[in-house]
Amino acid sequence: QLPRLQLGGELWLDWAAGQAQRAALRLHAPQLDVRPAQRSLAEFRDLALTAHFAREAQGWRLLVEELAGSFAGERLNPGQLQLRRLAADDTWLLQAERLNLAPLASLVRGLAPLPDKAVEILASLAPHGRLRDLRAEVRPRGEGLPEVEYDLRLDRVGVSAWHGVPALENVSGSLSGSLAGGELRLDANDFMLHLDTLFPEPWRYRRARARLEWRLDAEASTLSSALMRLSGEEGELAGNMLNRLR
């Protein structure tokens, strides 16, 4: 439902062979209210969008040059976003200049068709911080989960503890991998880790550097690091880690 909409803009369209070949869209919505099914009202304010679409030999490309405004009191300003579809193998390519996690999580909770439990988990985790230079490839594989590969930089990212998931603050570094596992090259200042099911107090370090690897399969989830360097009240620390949950 759209209880309230104020919208103005321009659309340029090149149509041939029964489909859009190129398009450019510029929109400004001072006020946009959306009420998804079974959800509370989602309110956008001062929403500005500039986007370009082009059909290519391999598929098509959508470039969001500008997306700005506010949603539920959170400012939206992700920089440039690009989505490509390669028709030959139905591969989707996503690139994002920067994504602020707090407003993104609010958008997903408010608009995405998620089960109530997933919305509850996302609200409990309360992700925040920023993702930069995101690149992702998604390839459908028929039934089951798609094949996903990603590469991005983390800028002071954090989450709250939830049912064994540790709380984290100020996680910076690079992250790459797939749904089955990956690697985090941690290089963080004022780093905090709280394993709340094991220790009553969080661990805090002025500097944390590590190469963390994780694997997920039907048997267990594994988190390991061959070398971790930490600087905190205890002094300079170095060590390794292996944590396997079944």
Side-chain angles (χ1 to χ4, degrees), residues 54-95:
R55 196 167 297 280
E56 304 173 328
Q58 303 93 337
W60 54 260
R61 180 196 306 263
L62 175 64
L63 173 65
V64 178
E65 189 174 337
E66 178 191 20
L67 175 59
S70 64
F71 172 75
E74 298 276 3
R75 291 296 300 171
L76 304 174
N77 186 18
Q80 286 196 353
L81 304 172
Q82 182 174 262
L83 178 65
R84 294 183 64 199
R85 179 178 180 268
L86 305 181
D89 55 0
D90 198 25
T91 296
W92 295 80
L93 308 176
L94 173 65
Q95 291 181 260

Side-chain angles (χ1 to χ4, degrees), residues 68-139:
S70 64
F71 172 75
E74 298 276 3
R75 291 296 300 171
L76 304 174
N77 186 18
Q80 286 196 353
L81 304 172
Q82 182 174 262
L83 178 65
R84 294 183 64 199
R85 179 178 180 268
L86 305 181
D89 55 0
D90 198 25
T91 296
W92 295 80
L93 308 176
L94 173 65
Q95 291 181 260
E97 184 178 356
R98 60 180 179 271
L99 291 173
N100 291 327
L101 288 176
L104 180 61
S106 296
L107 274 173
V108 172
R109 292 201 315 270
L111 299 178
L114 297 176
D116 291 342
K117 186 61 176 179
V119 174
E120 177 187 336
I121 292 172
L122 188 57
S124 298
L125 289 173
H128 49 279
R130 181 174 288 184
L131 309 182
R132 295 182 180 273
D133 303 329
L134 168 66
R135 294 186 298 274
E137 294 188 15
V138 182
R139 303 181 187 89

Side-chain angles (χ1 to χ4, degrees), residues 7-8 24 87 132 165 173 213:
L7 180 68
R132 295 182 180 273
V165 175
E213 296 182 350

